Amino acid sequence: MASTRRMELEHMSHYDRPDIPPRISHRHLSQGLAVITLVLVLTVTLQVNDFLGKRPGLPWLQLVAMIGSLLLMTPLLFSLTKRSSLSASPPFWFAAHVLASMAGFVFVSLHVAAGRLLSMPGILYVLLLFLIYQGIVARVFLSRQFSRQFGSREASFTLTTTTTRHELAGIIAAKTHLLKSLDPQADEALFSPNLKHAAAHPLLTLNYARLAARESRLVGARRRAGRALSLWRRLHILVALLFVFGIVVHVLTVIFFAGYVAGDDAIYWWHLATWGGHT
Ligand code: HEM
């Protein structure tokens, strides 16, 4: 328990790292949310009214899909640069990943608007929507600490408010102070009062026990918040991986298994092989 607390205190300094804070204001992200929703409504409207025809693989739409998909890969780059020391400026990559994802979404939406949403690749679009909305929700509606954590690699319990941190520091200072009279030889991180202390200094012992109880309540709350956060983050990463895998499968099937994708219809898009088609 004492050593866990020590570890947490060490983590707190990481938490203040100046390299992580994303430099995108809440206002901009709320505007982003509005744009994404507008694009989504437009996509569904165009699609339902069959405005672009049912030809998502037309050369220009295929090109649009490719550009969009490449732009959507920047989050992957962001994630890699964050994990390596390749980039001197993680905030730049954070901003780039948000902006590029949004642009990518607009491009891909155009491609999707020409196809059927209720299809296998349509699921990809749903995954993409989930990722974008989840990312924005983390940044706009949850605390700044949360999003900082969301954009950082530490999945442990670094999530906390400044008040909690100060409160914990205060408790430890008070405990250390009490300990000087209670048991001058003892180490605050390892000490727990026993009957001998209670008999010699009943009031000090009671105060110390009260402080220790408050400390463990705070630490517990922090840990619970940390767990929820790391679950949320893991879900984001899992869906992102599914999405990337889905794009790879989709692109490989339309390019190499064009015959299979087209079925009885003609292959009208750029492709390299017609595997899987009727002979
Ligand atoms: C996030 C990326 C993408 C999403 C969400 C997506 C989604 C879709 C959807 C919903 C369809 C319509 C399926 C149907 O109507 O049955 C479709 C068709 C198609 N996509 Fe994509 N796509 C993406 C990326 C790409 C890329 C990068 C290419 C480039 C190779 C591509 C090539 C095609 C082609 C050729 C078709 C036409 C297939 C047909 O007409 O049956 N897509 N895509």
Side-chain angles (χ1 to χ4, degrees):
M1 156 80 200
S3 60
T4 314
R5 218 270 327 284
R6 276 272 146 84
M7 269 168 53
E8 280 183 274
L9 288 176
E10 276 163 22
H11 272 268
M12 283 175 190
S13 52
H14 285 259
Y15 168 76
D16 280 332
R17 286 169 12 178
D19 54 339
I20 298 299
R23 307 256 159 87
I24 290 189
S25 71
H26 282 193
R27 196 165 57 90
H28 283 137
L29 276 162
S30 312
Q31 286 165 352
L33 189 72
V35 172
I36 296 290
T37 308
L38 187 75
V39 173
L40 174 62
V41 171
L42 267 173
T43 304
V44 174
T45 313
L46 287 175
Q47 216 255 328
V48 169
N49 292 301
D50 211 358
F51 205 76
L52 292 172
K54 283 275 170 278
R55 290 261 189 266
L58 285 176
W60 76 276
L61 284 173
Q62 198 174 11
L63 187 68
V64 157
M66 282 181 189
I67 297 172
S69 301
L70 283 177
L71 284 169
L72 288 172
M73 292 299 148
T74 42
L76 207 73
L77 276 179
F78 165 67
S79 161
L80 291 175
T81 53
K82 216 172 40 157
R83 279 162 173 76
S84 66
S85 47
L86 281 178
S87 163
S89 171
F92 165 80
W93 278 106
F94 180 82
H97 120 252
V98 173
L99 293 176
S101 311
M102 287 208 178
F105 175 71
V106 174
F107 277 98
V108 165
S109 295
L110 208 56
H111 170 68
V112 171
R116 287 169 307 131
L117 260 181
L118 300 176
S119 61
M120 281 304 267
I123 297 172
L124 274 183
Y125 194 62
V126 174
L127 291 182
L128 178 59
L129 282 168
F130 175 85
L131 285 173
I132 295 179
Y133 278 116
Q134 198 207 15
I136 294 181
V137 164
R139 186 65 184 85
V140 176
F141 299 111
L142 304 172
S143 73
R144 182 170 170 71
Q145 279 81 11
F146 191 107
S147 65
R148 229 193 239 198
Q149 177 70 14
F150 201 60
S152 95
R153 191 152 68 99
E154 286 138 45
S156 61
F157 29 57
T158 46
L159 174 84
T160 179
T161 61
T162 320
T163 342
T164 315
R165 252 187 322 144
H166 284 153
E167 218 174 328
L168 266 176
I171 292 175
I172 292 153
K175 279 171 72 190
T176 314
H177 184 71
L178 277 182
L179 210 56
K180 280 190 192 132
S181 322
L182 204 56
D183 191 342
Q185 311 300 325
D187 176 357
E188 181 273 329
L190 304 171
F191 177 78
S192 59
N194 57 30
L195 273 180
K196 208 177 77 204
H197 299 111
H201 308 279
L203 225 83
L204 288 183
T205 308
L206 187 71
N207 275 345
Y208 195 95
R210 246 196 231 138
L211 284 170
R214 231 174 92 216
E215 182 190 356
S216 62
R217 263 202 312 277
L218 277 178
V219 168
R222 279 156 46 89
R223 203 169 299 138
R224 276 192 298 281
R227 266 200 292 271
L229 168 65
S230 98
L231 217 86
W232 178 271
R233 223 180 130 258
R234 250 180 260 164
L235 183 67
H236 192 74
I237 293 172
L238 183 79
V239 176
L241 287 176
L242 267 176
F243 175 67
V244 172
F245 176 75
I247 292 189
V248 172
V249 171
H250 177 55
V251 169
L252 290 181
T253 29
V254 295
I255 291 181
F256 291 100
F257 295 87
Y260 167 76
V261 175
D264 291 331
D265 299 331
I267 306 167
Y268 65 92
W269 60 89
W270 174 79
H271 60 279
L272 289 172
T274 56
W275 300 334
H278 304 301
T279 43

